Amino acid sequence: SLRLIVGSGLTPQNLPRLVEKNPIVAIEALILILTAPEESGSGTGTHNKNEYLSALAGMDMSIHSMEVVNRLAMHSTAGAAGGGNKKQQQQQQRRSQMAMRDGSHNEGRAMIQPLLHPEYIHLYISTCISTCESMSYDRHLQNKSVRLLCVFLQSLIRNGIVSVEDLFVEVQAFCIEFSRIREAATLFQILKSK
């Protein structure tokens, strides 16, 4: 299936178009690309994987790009290889993330690695915040985008994908700037309680 993706002409440059036209296909294609072995010989080495991730993280904010980032952030490499249903994979990933935060490790079990590195998630969040801030020309669109971003961030925080400490300053400033919007006020309360 990886050969099919490589043969389809999907490149980091045209990835944003695929994400906007068909996010489900984009998710599956990215999972295959990002979980491919480094020495697969298919042209999806580490450098190329980083190009796909950079293209995704640098995309304009949209419901489709958020869906792709959220699904990739919830996916883990051990979950993909370990089998089980999605709920079991997500529970296993949360347990692993909690263990990593607490500093406890199970030496006998393979550590679950997130498919989407936090650096790319943070870059995408920063891009979304900048997009919201620059929409002052259309107040209605700006309010809608701020609400969407706040719900997205709440989901990432609730699922343990991002830690509040890593985003606190930037997201707090965003929440204060848009405090007139209920979802931003709710997100601010979540930040303060963590």
Side-chain angles (χ1 to χ4, degrees):
S1 3
L2 184 59
R3 284 189 197 147
L4 182 63
I5 291 170
V6 172
S8 73
L10 179 63
T11 64
Q13 292 74 29
N14 62 25
L15 176 65
R17 194 169 57 221
L18 178 62
V19 168
E20 290 307 319
K21 299 291 183 190
N22 198 335
I24 302 302
V25 171
I27 291 164
E28 295 303 322
L30 283 168
I31 288 171
L32 285 171
I33 290 168
L34 298 175
T35 58
E38 299 301 325
E39 66 281 345
S40 66
S42 60
T44 59
T46 304
H47 180 67
N48 204 11
K49 289 178 184 183
N50 288 336
E51 289 178 17
Y52 281 100
L53 290 172
S54 294
L56 179 64
M59 278 188 67
D60 291 337
M61 178 182 156
S62 71
I63 186 76
H64 292 263
S65 64
M66 281 186 179
E67 178 182 0
V68 172
V69 170
N70 190 45
R71 292 273 300 274
L72 290 176
M74 295 295 289
H75 195 82
S76 62
T77 54
N85 65 34
K86 285 188 187 256
K87 189 171 185 172
Q88 290 170 331
Q89 291 173 6
Q90 289 172 351
Q91 289 172 343
Q92 188 177 12
Q93 181 179 2
R94 281 191 205 110
R95 283 194 298 270
S96 174
Q97 288 169 344
M98 296 291 243
M100 287 190 300
R101 265 195 297 254
D102 296 342
S104 60
H105 298 66
N106 275 342
E107 307 250 344
R109 297 174 67 179
M111 286 302 292
I112 295 176
Q113 297 296 319
L115 186 61
L116 197 55
H117 192 276
E119 173 185 338
Y120 291 104
I121 298 171
H122 295 164
L123 179 59
Y124 180 73
I125 291 168
S126 295
T127 301
C128 290
I129 288 173
S130 297
T131 300
C132 288
E133 292 171 343
S134 68
M135 289 181 168
S136 57
Y137 60 88
D138 186 344
R139 183 89 170 216
H140 177 70
L141 180 60
Q142 184 181 47
N143 290 348
K144 182 179 173 185
S145 298
V146 168
R147 283 194 295 274
L148 183 62
L149 178 56
C150 288
V151 170
F152 174 68
L153 288 169
Q154 288 173 26
S155 171
L156 292 177
I157 292 168
R158 183 176 52 252
N159 290 312
I161 302 300
V162 296
S163 67
V164 173
E165 299 82 31
D166 295 342
L167 299 170
F168 188 78
V169 173
E170 187 174 17
V171 175
Q172 181 183 29
F174 171 79
C175 290
I176 291 170
E177 180 177 352
F178 295 105
S179 60
R180 69 182 186 281
I181 298 171
R182 182 175 14 108
E183 289 81 358
T186 302
L187 179 59
F188 185 77
Q189 292 304 317
I190 291 170
L191 290 177
K192 287 297 196 182
S193 70
K194 299 272 179 184

